[in-house]
Amino acid sequence: MKIVMKLLLVFVILGILAAGVGYFFVYRPNIRVQDNGIFLIHKGESFDTVTLHLQERGFLQNEYTFRKVAGLKKYPELVKSGRYKLTDRMSNNELINLLRSGRQEPVHFTFNNIRTLEQFAGIVSKQLAVDSSALSALLTDEQYVASLGFTRENLIGMFIPNTYQIYWDISPLNFMARMQEEYRKFWNDERKHKAERAGLSPMDVVILASIIEEETTRPKEYPIIAGVYINRLKRNIPLAACPTLKFALGDFTLKRVLKIHTEVESPYNTYKYKGLPPGPVRMPSVQVIDAVLNYRKHDYFYFCAKSDFSGEHHFSRTLRQHNDFARQYHQALNKRKIY
């Protein structure tokens, strides 16, 4: 009887020890986080690489126990790329469950003030695991762009500057699909109705907004300038918009538009060709797009920068009045030796 009792005691002690070891391996805190806890796993990375990076970041306290639990949970065969948020004092079990699940922490992807699709591809690749060359290939593939309902000239108008929650390891194709969906959401029934009342399509609005954003840095002027351009479109008068010339010339630093510039052969030359150019001259902000949709109704057909270089504009009903303001502005440019 005593022998049986001793054996039972031994088994109990062994069980306690086993439970203790199990707790130490599986449930004891093993992760230390002293920063934001963001941990990236790139596509194709192996379990050994993931473990090495956890150590290099100072997250992993005991590599041996992590590897043992990972093996038991078959994580080495289930590594998933992504952007994960680790928390201080996570156990091996919690960490491996997180990484196995692919439950990522999304990126707050933000963009604005973009002039070209090439620039946009670079900004995307800095925030997401999207290769800029792969994205650029899609942006310039005419057949693919057409399948989205756009042209190479107006595709830049599909991207609505904002902040979006996107998974870091999104593919270029899925990224484009997401941006297309955001464009559709943005152009809700209310915005479409306002565009229709102005006699414009959604892309027409974006094109106008892109020009206006280059014309002024004063948001209060956005709806007034929009009204000027809409008046000119309705009367079939050329827009004569300097930003479209700068786009055609590939020089947005041009400080003074001369007669020679207005003779450039380009569909973006709105001095030579009536109507809107084939696409936006930049990626306009939501504020300017909405200003076009809510444009000021007035009888102005012209506007000119003020000669005090305040950034504000004079608005005119007649060409004579406009020419007077233009003369003042050109004299001010001459005084500053801006030729």
Side-chain angles (χ1 to χ4, degrees):
M1 192 65 168
K2 288 183 179 181
I3 295 174
V4 173
M5 292 297 292
K6 286 180 179 180
L7 286 173
L8 285 173
L9 183 60
V10 168
F11 286 137
V12 169
I13 292 172
L14 289 174
I16 293 171
L17 290 173
V21 170
Y23 174 83
F24 178 76
F25 274 58
V26 180
Y27 300 110
R28 186 173 183 271
N30 193 34
I31 298 301
R32 187 179 184 187
V33 175
Q34 294 181 303
D35 54 20
N36 61 10
I38 296 299
F39 182 64
L40 305 177
I41 300 178
H42 292 82
K43 286 177 180 170
E45 285 189 342
S46 67
F47 170 69
D48 287 335
T49 302
V50 171
T51 304
L52 176 63
H53 289 167
L54 284 168
Q55 289 179 296
E56 290 174 341
R57 288 286 302 278
F59 290 141
L60 198 58
Q61 300 301 288
N62 189 313
E63 178 193 355
Y64 178 75
T65 61
F66 173 74
R67 284 184 175 276
K68 285 297 182 184
V69 177
L72 289 171
K73 298 179 80 71
K74 303 192 181 302
Y75 175 60
E77 296 87 44
L78 299 170
V79 174
K80 295 179 180 177
S81 64
R83 180 178 184 268
Y84 301 94
K85 184 169 179 60
L86 280 54
T87 56
D88 194 39
R89 297 184 61 78
M90 289 180 87
S91 67
N92 288 324
N93 189 59
E94 290 171 322
L95 174 59
I96 292 164
N97 284 345
L98 173 65
L99 300 182
R100 273 193 2 156
S101 70
R103 193 171 65 251
Q104 297 186 48
E105 183 77 8
V107 172
H108 293 276
F109 172 63
T110 301
F111 62 94
N112 54 53
N113 198 27
I114 307 293
R115 277 215 172 98
T116 67
L117 287 175
E118 183 181 13
Q119 179 190 7
F120 180 59
I123 287 173
V124 173
S125 67
K126 286 180 181 178
Q127 298 185 56
L128 305 171
V130 175
D131 180 68
S132 61
S133 60
L135 181 57
S136 293
L138 287 178
L139 295 172
T140 55
D141 185 327
E142 290 189 13
Q143 188 174 356
Y144 171 70
V145 171
S147 74
L148 297 176
F150 297 89
T151 65
R152 284 184 62 177
E153 291 78 16
N154 67 26
L155 177 62
I156 194 170
M158 184 184 81
F159 304 99
I160 306 297
N162 210 329
T163 298
Y164 303 95
Q165 287 195 354
I166 297 180
Y167 287 126
W168 172 75
D169 62 345
I170 191 170
S171 70
L173 278 171
N174 286 339
F175 173 78
M176 290 295 288
R178 172 67 185 279
M179 290 294 98
Q180 182 190 33
E181 181 60 26
E182 294 296 341
Y183 176 83
R184 288 172 178 164
K185 288 179 184 177
F186 178 81
W187 284 104
N188 54 32
D189 289 341
E190 181 182 359
R191 284 193 171 102
K192 285 180 180 177
H193 180 62
K194 286 182 178 181
E196 188 178 352
R197 281 193 305 180
L200 303 169
S201 70
M203 186 52 66
D204 291 339
V205 172
V206 175
I207 292 172
L208 264 185
S210 74
I211 296 170
I212 293 165
E213 195 159 32
E214 288 290 338
E215 290 279 21
T216 183
T217 58
R218 307 286 179 164
K220 68 179 182 181
E221 291 189 341
Y222 292 159
I224 307 173
I225 296 176
V228 171
Y229 283 140
I230 289 173
N231 286 345
R232 295 177 76 88
L233 288 171
K234 287 179 177 178
R235 291 285 188 91
N236 201 29
I237 302 172
L239 293 183
C242 294
T244 65
L245 283 184
K246 294 177 182 180
F247 183 88
L249 295 165
D251 184 5
F252 278 100
T253 65
L254 195 65
K255 293 183 178 180
R256 188 167 188 170
V257 172
L258 304 174
K259 182 172 175 56
I260 191 172
H261 297 137
T262 65
E263 295 170 355
V264 65
E265 181 51 48
S266 169
Y268 287 87
N269 185 347
T270 56
Y271 280 79
K272 182 178 287 190
Y273 298 106
K274 296 177 181 179
L276 294 167
V281 297
R282 65 175 293 128
M283 197 180 287
S285 67
V286 171
Q287 184 180 15
V288 191
I289 293 172
D290 283 338
V292 175
L293 293 172
N294 298 285
Y295 72 95
R296 187 82 56 82
K297 293 182 179 179
H298 51 61
D299 55 0
Y300 297 132
F301 285 88
Y302 309 91
F303 64 97
C304 176
K306 290 185 177 180
S307 57
D308 61 1
F309 295 96
S310 62
E312 296 184 348
H313 293 79
H314 292 292
F315 294 90
S316 306
R317 295 174 177 84
T318 67
L319 182 58
R320 177 179 291 181
Q321 187 181 33
H322 171 70
N323 286 339
D324 286 341
F325 288 132
R327 192 177 301 110
Q328 293 172 24
Y329 181 64
H330 287 298
Q331 288 173 351
L333 288 174
N334 292 338
K335 283 183 180 179
R336 295 198 176 196
K337 296 183 179 181
I338 299 174
Y339 302 110

